[in-house]
Amino acid sequence: MARYDATTHDRLAADFNRDGFVVLEQHYDPERLAAWARAFRPLLDTALSDPTLAGERGKQRFYVTLPFEGVFADPHFFEDDDVLAIVQRVAGADPVMCQLATDTPLKGSEHQGIHRDTPALFPEMDLEPPSYQLAVNFPLCDVTLDNGPLETTRGTHRMTREQAQRAMAAGEAVLEPITMRLGDVMIRDVRLMHRGTPNHTDVPRPMVVIGYSRHWYLRPEVRIDVPRATWETLSERARRLLRHNPIVDSLQDVQRTERYQAFAY
């Protein structure tokens, strides 16, 4: 059930179109998030023991794909009426869900280089089109200035990379840290110039990303393997959102999980 009415959705979408992101405060159920945090810890431990994952996202920073089953297939998150209302206003009425993963800096992590998460759709043009790929981010703990908040600019999603770099050099676009409480959710255009920052604490800081895009946009490096047993439980709306992802008999049968390695543009 939506918390906001259509007028508020319109306002939030307008804020998004101006800034490139919007935050809904205390939006997701903290008890469900606590269940995600408990289920995530062994996945992180497995990633930490895999030497092939070290350094993919920078020193002591790990990208972990989440299995689309159990608590991680909870429609409370990926079918949220308010989130989808904003997504549809800024990225089209028939979006697809294309990603379910986490970014987690540990103690010893460093500043990432300032980057975007996707290449230009039309690199030969001196402008950027309206939004076509979004990240819905929510943490599994409070995000403070000490444990690695995302730093992002405003408005650079409608600039080319070169225009955004000039705006940053001129002080017209500045990085600002986004602190979040458990339950907050951020919807952002992945073209915003941004970076991850160091986690100075002893506790990992997991940030979930659910990716949505316009129905015609496909990045083969990201996907969600949908177990058939999970598919059978989904609503028609959820199946529509996930229609471009593979349906598998079992996640144990998947030969190669998603590996989103080229992330900085």
Side-chain angles (χ1 to χ4, degrees), residues 70-86:
V71 296
F72 299 126
D74 186 348
H76 171 77
F77 298 96
F78 69 88
E79 263 196 286
D80 181 86
D81 289 329
D82 294 303
V83 170
L84 289 180
I86 297 166

Side-chain angles (χ1 to χ4, degrees), residues 166-185:
R166 289 196 296 269
M168 294 185 72
E172 298 165 358
V174 297
L175 288 168
E176 56 183 278
I178 306 298
T179 59
M180 302 175 73
R181 292 182 296 165
L182 186 70
D184 293 352
V185 57

Side-chain angles (χ1 to χ4, degrees), residues 193-215:
M193 298 292 278
H194 68 280
R195 68 179 178 182
T197 65
N199 182 352
H200 298 295
T201 75
D202 295 323
V203 181
R205 192 280 292 143
M207 178 71 73
V208 177
V209 56
I210 300 178
Y212 296 93
S213 65
R214 291 185 183 264
H215 64 86

